[in-house]
Amino acid sequence: MEQVLKLRNLKVIFPSHGGIIRAVEGVDLDIHQGESVALVGESGCGKSVTSQSVMRLIESPPAITRLDTLEFNGKDIKNYTHKQMQDIRGKEMSMIFQDAMTSLNPVMTCGKQIDEMYIRHKGVSKKEAREYTIEALKLVGMPEPRSRAKNFPHELSGGMRQRVLLAMAFACLPKLIIADEPTTALDVTIQAQVLNVLRNMQKKHDMSLLLITHDLSVVSNIADIVYVMYSGKIVEKASVEDIFHEPYHPYTRGLIASVPKLSDTEKEFSQIPGTVPHPMKKPNGCYFHPRCQHATKQCKKAMPPLISVGKNHEVRCHHPLKDMKKEGKA
Amino acid sequence: MKKSYVIKRILYSVFVFAVVITLNFFIPRIGVEDPAERYYPPQGNMSEIEYEIIKQATREQYGFDVSPWQQYLNYLEGLTHGDLGMSFRSGSPAVADLIIDRLPWTLVLSVSTMLIGLIIGIMFGVIAAMKRGRWQDTVLLNASTIMIALPSFFIALILSFYLGFEYEIFPAYTDPNMVSNFEWTFASLRNVAQNAALPVLSMAVGSIIGYAQGTRNAVIAVTNEDFILTAKAKGLKQNTIRYKHILRNSMLPIVTSLGMSISGLIGGQVVIEQIFNWNGMGTLFLEANNMNDYPLMMGIMLLLSGFTILAILVTDLIYVLLDPRVTVGDKR
């Protein structure tokens, strides 16, 4: 399989008044053609910063970004100029954002905002662009695409707005789609529709997908590979089956256990105690140790390295949990 | 939907204007029982009978001899053909004529101030926002801090002292014959421009800074919006993002402040006109006030409020063009 994205040792820090915010600390990402990769973690763990860094959308200043390798589609785009990046963005890699209401320009019709993609990247006239736009809206399941294209974002429902973003992202049939919590702002029935469109389009055109989410049910439906992120670091990477059946990291296990199930007979929700450490006050050693029931002295002292525990399965833990059945309910 | 909104806004403005006309007519009549006494206060060496005769004559001359209701109807009837009543000053000139004589001279100052402020201010504001945190931005920030502490009349005094008296670049005091000698010749126009230079300059400084600051903040606020990130992720060119996405969205608050300042075009420069002895509406209003000339005051107030209502209406209508969301509230 051809590798679409290769990211090595991404570090992003934001200098601020109180100190330095280390948003991302050495993240590696690999995405192959046609693959769906999920990046999972709680709010504030650096998922969005990572994804935006891939498109080099993080403004610097204020942010300071360092990375060893950024290869996209076989090209080294690490040192691409702004102009070169502008040619790639939207055309070869595109992004779907979380809140379609704020992610669309309120004073421009939805159609025009999609037209821009074709005008910019295909060099077609406004008229031709609109025909493409209507076709794209049809593909993402927008009812009455021709008249909807003339609507402003506030005149559409949340699901329709998200479809506009989808149509925009798929406009130039890019190699890589980055979806940053694409369904978080939608209600459940619409979520399923939007995810179906996303998945079908991706499979049909053999695109790669980087899905940023904190919703594990979405992950189990869509992803092939899962990266679990905690406080700026990848803590576990595995295939989706392994993540759900054989999670090694206590954090991954906690995340899975905290998904409410209808079959649960217990009254209490399972949860991970504590909160994500403040990005300026990260603990010594393993960042997760204050919330980990299995933490030892070693965990307080040293950050564990990412170790391989199986085929394509890596975990950042001094004491990876071996057996789900024995300790799963602990 | 849009059409109904426009019609509704216009009807609303007409209603407000009708209320303003009515209040404008009755409020000055609340305080004094006999309007004639306002015009002609009793004087020491005058007998009761003499005073009564004079008052009666005044009442008849100004139409005060009928019931207030009838006066109101007469006033309304007069308004329909631009008759704002007679001034109390000697010769009883028509209020409308007095205003028409002065209005252009005030507009010379205020419109040029506004245009300078708007054009240069928006330019500076956009530059400062694009160069956020660099020296261009710092200069603007410091300048606006200073300007908040400096009222325009203080700038006027400084300018008139240095540019007017010390270096004699521009006249510090308006040529008293400027108005009477005015004709549409180049020399006459240049004379007006020279005389207007200092008053306009002293008001424009604040205006420029105000618009620049407003523009800067609006542009920065829009730049941080999610849809700008979307536009970047689409690979749009920098200039497309700037002009198509950022600027149009940042114009909304600027149109608002522009609408506010339009209403100040007529009466907002009483002090500056005094300092430079400029014979405009501000001076006229001051004269009317000092002479208890309330038909004239009513006339000026009516013009001011009418202009304000018109400015707000126009602002709202421009908003409809700029921001499609505006009509949403109309559906309810």
Side-chain angles (χ1 to χ4, degrees):
Chain A
M1 250 190 310
E2 197 191 328
Q3 184 152 9
V4 173
L5 183 79
K6 182 177 174 189
L7 174 70
R8 289 289 174 271
N9 199 16
L10 169 72
K11 293 177 181 165
V12 183
I13 61 174
F14 293 91
S16 80
H17 290 296
I20 290 171
I21 292 174
R22 292 188 176 81
V24 179
E25 301 183 41
V27 164
D28 299 349
L29 266 184
D30 290 292
I31 303 175
H32 296 88
Q33 176 132 24
E35 212 173 46
S36 300
V37 174
L39 193 56
V40 183
E42 285 167 278
S43 315
C45 70
K47 297 172 301 204
S48 293
V49 175
T50 305
S51 64
Q52 288 175 22
S53 302
V54 169
M55 289 185 82
R56 299 205 21 219
L57 281 172
I58 299 285
E59 292 279 340
S60 169
I64 300 171
T65 305
R66 291 281 177 277
L67 48 83
D68 291 348
T69 312
L70 178 57
E71 279 177 27
F72 173 72
N73 210 9
K75 291 171 287 197
D76 180 8
I77 60 169
K78 182 184 164 191
N79 295 320
Y80 264 29
T81 60
H82 282 298
K83 283 230 167 78
Q84 284 173 304
M85 279 313 293
Q86 280 166 12
D87 289 339
I88 293 181
R89 283 184 206 136
K91 191 181 182 192
E92 293 177 42
M93 50 162 82
S94 65
M95 203 159 192
I96 301 164
F97 293 94
Q98 179 184 148
D99 188 349
M101 182 76 227
T102 58
S103 299
L104 290 169
N105 186 340
V107 303
M108 205 186 240
T109 60
C110 294
K112 260 192 192 161
Q113 298 187 51
I114 306 174
D115 293 349
E116 281 187 327
M117 291 292 276
Y118 297 108
I119 295 168
R120 167 74 178 88
H121 295 298
K122 292 201 161 165
V124 296
S125 71
K126 279 187 187 175
K127 240 188 177 169
E128 288 171 285
R130 179 51 58 94
E131 291 309 312
Y132 282 119
T133 297
I134 288 162
E135 209 46 50
L137 283 173
K138 241 183 236 165
L139 284 178
V140 296
M142 175 76 88
E144 303 168 55
R146 194 169 289 273
S147 59
R148 285 288 95 88
K150 288 178 199 144
N151 283 134
F152 288 98
H154 71 272
E155 296 168 332
L156 301 180
S157 70
M160 288 198 233
R161 283 198 286 265
Q162 199 65 39
R163 282 173 209 268
V164 171
L165 281 187
L166 286 176
M168 206 186 276
F170 285 113
C172 298
L173 298 178
K175 285 260 174 194
L176 174 66
I177 296 263
I178 300 174
D180 191 348
E181 311 220 14
T183 56
T184 310
L186 304 172
D187 53 49
V188 186
T189 48
I190 310 290
Q191 271 187 21
Q193 292 174 10
V194 167
L195 285 175
N196 273 337
V197 172
L198 188 61
R199 199 182 152 78
N200 291 341
M201 289 291 285
Q202 182 226 343
K203 292 286 175 230
K204 196 169 146 196
H205 299 283
D206 201 25
M207 300 174 191
S208 312
L209 174 69
L210 174 59
L211 179 73
I212 320 287
T213 185
H214 57 250
D215 187 343
L216 285 173
S217 57
V218 172
V219 171
S220 63
N221 277 325
I222 283 196
D224 303 318
I225 311 285
V226 180
Y227 286 79
V228 181
M229 219 174 153
Y230 186 78
S231 199
K233 280 184 180 290
I234 299 289
V235 294
E236 186 158 11
K237 175 208 166 185
S239 69
V240 69
E241 293 84 18
D242 287 352
I243 281 287
F244 283 99
H245 296 119
E246 260 187 289
Y248 278 87
H249 200 283
Y251 177 63
T252 315
R253 199 163 281 196
L255 275 183
I256 294 167
S258 60
V259 177
K261 294 174 200 72
L262 283 175
S263 58
D264 270 355
T265 46
E266 288 166 46
K267 289 258 162 82
E268 299 265 318
F269 287 117
S270 169
Q271 59 174 27
I272 306 171
T275 53
V276 184
H278 189 276
M280 270 186 230
K281 296 172 208 137
K282 291 188 182 178
N284 290 330
C286 175
Y287 291 155
F288 188 62
H289 86 256
R291 303 171 72 185
C292 181
Q293 346 169 356
H294 310 280
T296 61
K297 265 188 189 163
Q298 195 191 3
C299 300
K300 289 177 189 167
K301 271 189 209 147
M303 169 61 75
L306 208 53
I307 50 170
S308 179
V309 290
K311 187 176 172 262
N312 276 330
H313 194 159
E314 291 170 24
V315 65
R316 186 185 295 279
C317 186
H318 290 301
H319 315 288
L321 306 169
K322 291 269 155 50
D323 192 353
M324 180 77 170
K325 273 163 199 152
K326 261 186 208 164
E327 301 191 49
K329 291 272 174 185
Chain B
M1 186 177 75
K2 261 187 182 177
K3 210 178 251 172
S4 74
Y5 174 80
V6 171
I7 292 170
K8 207 170 141 190
R9 276 305 284 119
I10 292 174
L11 288 179
Y12 178 71
S13 301
V14 170
F15 169 73
V16 172
F17 192 54
V19 171
V20 164
I21 290 174
T22 310
L23 290 179
N24 198 28
F25 179 82
F26 284 107
I27 285 177
R29 282 165 171 77
I30 293 173
V32 179
E33 217 166 275
D34 188 349
E37 276 177 27
R38 269 216 171 172
Y39 168 52
Y40 212 94
Q43 303 205 346
N45 59 354
M46 201 183 284
S47 75
E48 195 82 350
I49 300 163
E50 276 175 325
Y51 187 45
E52 208 43 58
I53 292 168
I54 287 172
K55 275 203 290 188
Q56 190 53 37
T58 317
R59 282 187 203 121
E60 277 164 23
Q61 189 186 357
Y62 285 92
F64 293 152
D65 52 339
V66 289
S67 71
W69 179 242
Q70 188 59 46
Q71 286 177 37
Y72 176 59
L73 291 182
N74 291 345
Y75 178 67
L76 289 185
E77 196 268 332
L79 284 185
T80 56
H81 48 86
D83 179 7
L84 296 176
M86 281 184 291
S87 164
F88 285 166
R89 52 177 71 190
S90 60
S92 302
V95 168
D97 291 342
L98 286 174
I99 290 177
I100 285 172
D101 279 349
R102 301 287 187 96
L103 188 57
W105 298 103
T106 280
L107 290 178
V108 165
L109 292 192
S110 54
V111 170
S112 34
T113 302
M114 193 184 78
L115 287 181
I116 291 174
L118 205 59
I119 293 168
I120 302 183
I122 289 181
M123 237 163 56
F124 278 1
V126 170
I127 291 172
M130 301 289 174
K131 307 274 179 190
R132 191 180 177 186
R134 296 198 223 154
W135 68 265
Q136 295 94 330
D137 192 23
T138 319
V139 167
L140 175 67
L141 208 71
N142 291 329
S144 52
T145 312
I146 295 169
M147 277 311 303
I148 289 170
L150 284 186
S152 64
F153 63 82
F154 187 73
I155 298 172
L157 290 175
I158 293 175
L159 288 180
S160 103
F161 182 76
Y162 284 104
L163 299 185
F165 291 111
E166 283 281 299
Y167 301 104
E168 295 183 359
I169 298 172
F170 294 114
Y173 214 66
T174 308
D175 172 10
N177 299 321
M178 180 184 79
V179 174
S180 50
N181 293 345
F182 180 76
E183 43 196 28
W184 286 101
T185 61
F186 178 72
S188 192
L189 284 175
R190 202 183 61 177
N191 185 31
V192 172
Q194 276 177 343
N195 281 294
L198 286 185
V200 167
L201 201 58
S202 38
M203 291 188 290
V205 178
S207 179
I208 289 172
I209 301 275
Y211 282 118
Q213 190 68 26
T215 308
R216 173 199 179 265
N217 293 345
V219 169
I220 285 177
V222 174
T223 308
N224 292 333
E225 294 272 359
D226 287 350
F227 60 83
I228 298 303
L229 189 63
T230 309
K232 283 182 191 159
K234 281 156 84 176
L236 298 181
K237 293 195 169 131
Q238 184 109 38
N239 279 346
T240 317
I241 297 178
R242 265 183 202 171
Y243 297 111
K244 277 197 165 169
H245 291 267
I246 298 180
L247 274 189
R248 181 155 172 214
N249 276 287
S250 359
M251 280 308 110
L252 297 172
I254 295 166
V255 169
T256 312
S257 59
L258 182 65
M260 302 282 199
S261 65
I262 282 178
S263 54
L265 287 182
I266 293 184
Q269 42 224 351
V270 179
V271 181
I272 297 290
E273 284 186 6
Q274 289 302 301
I275 291 173
F276 293 101
N277 196 33
W278 187 274
N279 252 336
M281 293 288 287
T283 314
L284 186 68
F285 186 73
L286 210 63
E287 288 165 9
N289 187 53
N290 292 344
M291 291 191 292
N292 262 341
D293 186 352
Y294 77 89
L296 183 53
M297 283 167 73
M298 273 165 56
I300 296 174
M301 293 308 283
L302 189 70
L303 187 72
L304 271 178
S305 34
F307 212 69
T308 308
I309 292 168
L310 190 70
I312 292 173
L313 176 66
V314 170
T315 313
D316 280 357
L317 296 186
I318 291 177
Y319 245 87
V320 176
L321 291 179
L322 282 179
D323 189 344
R325 289 166 298 178
V326 166
T327 50
V328 171
D330 197 42
K331 274 193 233 163
R332 283 177 218 137

